Amino acid sequence: MSAAELETSLAVKKMATEISFGLKGTSIFLVGINCSMKTNVGKVLADALRYYYFDSDSVVEEASGGESSATSFLERDEKGFRESETEVLKQLSSMGRLVVCAGDGAVQSPQNLSYLRYGISVWIDVPLDLLADEMVGAQVPSASDQSMSQSDPFQEALEGLTKRYMAVSGGYGTADATASLLKVTTKLGYDDFKSVTPEDMAIEAMTEIEKLTRVKKMIEAAAKPF
């Protein structure tokens, strides 16, 4: 571990210690388009806060018999699949000391959004072009696919993500706090989004959470009778 990595790691632990008392075991729900950054931020937070980590989509997939079965379930019975998502959120929201990476279904209905209110929701905001890059990099096309396709994989991915984002951005906007990769990149003086680490984003998320808990404490203090 380099000196810079050690410094960041210590900063994560320090921030986690500072917000733990104010959190009082309140669960944290991460929303935003699924990507490696969102997943890794969730794991960093869970480790630092000594919380349990869950990916709500993975729980739905396991309940459906695996990823392929879940995809088939969604295509065959979307209403039933969405009901399964709601049930998973309902169960997770009833528990404490969790960091939950929530899927898009978590912000697509008033009922699901109400379950997020049992904890603190944080939007992990990652630029769409970075997400498209990651999506294209994760694909392993066959030789026949490459020869037949005349389209630009990046542009296709970006268009698909943009359409998806437009459909759910209103739900993301209801999150209690936002950890923006663009903001963190600027704050740390980086020239490239890819220089930002999950630890950097976790610190940003905890900073925003600390602001929320501080305001809540002030409101509670103001409400006490003299």
Side-chain angles (χ1 to χ4, degrees):
M1 182 182 289
S2 68
E5 289 172 334
L6 177 59
E7 184 179 351
T8 303
S9 177
L10 291 173
V12 169
K13 291 177 181 177
K14 181 175 182 293
M15 193 70 205
T17 300
E18 290 175 357
I19 71 169
S20 288
F21 180 76
L23 273 176
K24 299 178 181 177
T26 302
S27 291
I28 298 168
F29 293 89
L30 303 184
V31 300
I33 294 177
N34 287 343
C35 61
S36 60
M37 178 60 80
K38 179 181 165 189
T39 298
N40 290 331
V41 169
K43 291 178 178 179
V44 169
L45 287 173
D47 181 64
L49 293 167
R50 297 185 178 181
Y51 274 26
Y52 294 99
Y53 172 81
F54 282 92
D55 183 304
S56 64
D57 281 352
S58 294
V59 176
V60 174
E61 287 172 6
E62 288 176 15
S64 303
E67 184 176 354
S68 59
S69 296
T71 301
S72 176
F73 182 19
L74 175 60
E75 292 172 350
R76 185 181 69 254
D77 181 9
E78 182 174 357
K79 184 174 182 292
F81 183 87
R82 297 304 176 196
E83 287 174 352
S84 294
E85 283 186 318
T86 298
E87 182 59 29
V88 166
L89 281 174
K90 179 181 178 181
Q91 294 298 325
L92 292 175
S93 68
S94 68
M95 304 164 67
R97 302 191 67 81
L98 302 181
V99 174
V100 179
C101 271
D104 286 343
V107 299
Q108 289 183 296
S109 78
Q111 184 176 9
N112 289 354
L113 286 169
S114 72
Y115 290 134
L116 299 187
R117 295 301 171 203
Y118 285 88
I120 295 174
S121 55
V122 182
W123 176 13
I124 304 301
D125 185 13
V126 179
L128 295 182
D129 55 347
L130 199 63
L131 295 176
D133 260 339
E134 179 177 320
M135 184 178 290
V136 172
Q139 294 172 350
V140 186
S142 65
S144 59
D145 289 337
Q146 291 176 330
S147 62
M148 291 172 63
S149 177
Q150 301 298 316
S151 60
D152 179 354
F154 173 81
Q155 194 58 39
E156 279 191 353
L158 184 58
E159 288 174 2
L161 285 166
T162 300
K163 182 178 179 181
R164 187 167 149 201
Y165 174 81
M166 294 302 292
V168 296
S169 59
Y172 295 157
T174 67
D176 298 310
T178 300
S180 164
L181 191 141
L182 175 59
K183 179 181 175 182
V184 173
T185 303
T186 303
K187 183 188 292 187
L188 297 179
Y190 292 147
D191 296 324
D192 185 358
F193 290 139
K194 294 180 181 179
S195 297
V196 177
T197 67
E199 288 77 14
D200 293 328
M201 288 289 283
I203 290 171
E204 179 70 9
M206 287 190 285
T207 299
E208 294 301 311
I209 290 170
E210 191 274 335
K211 291 177 184 176
L212 289 170
T213 56
R214 192 184 339 133
V215 170
K216 181 181 178 183
K217 187 176 180 181
M218 290 171 60
I219 293 172
E220 289 174 348
K224 289 181 179 179
F226 292 104

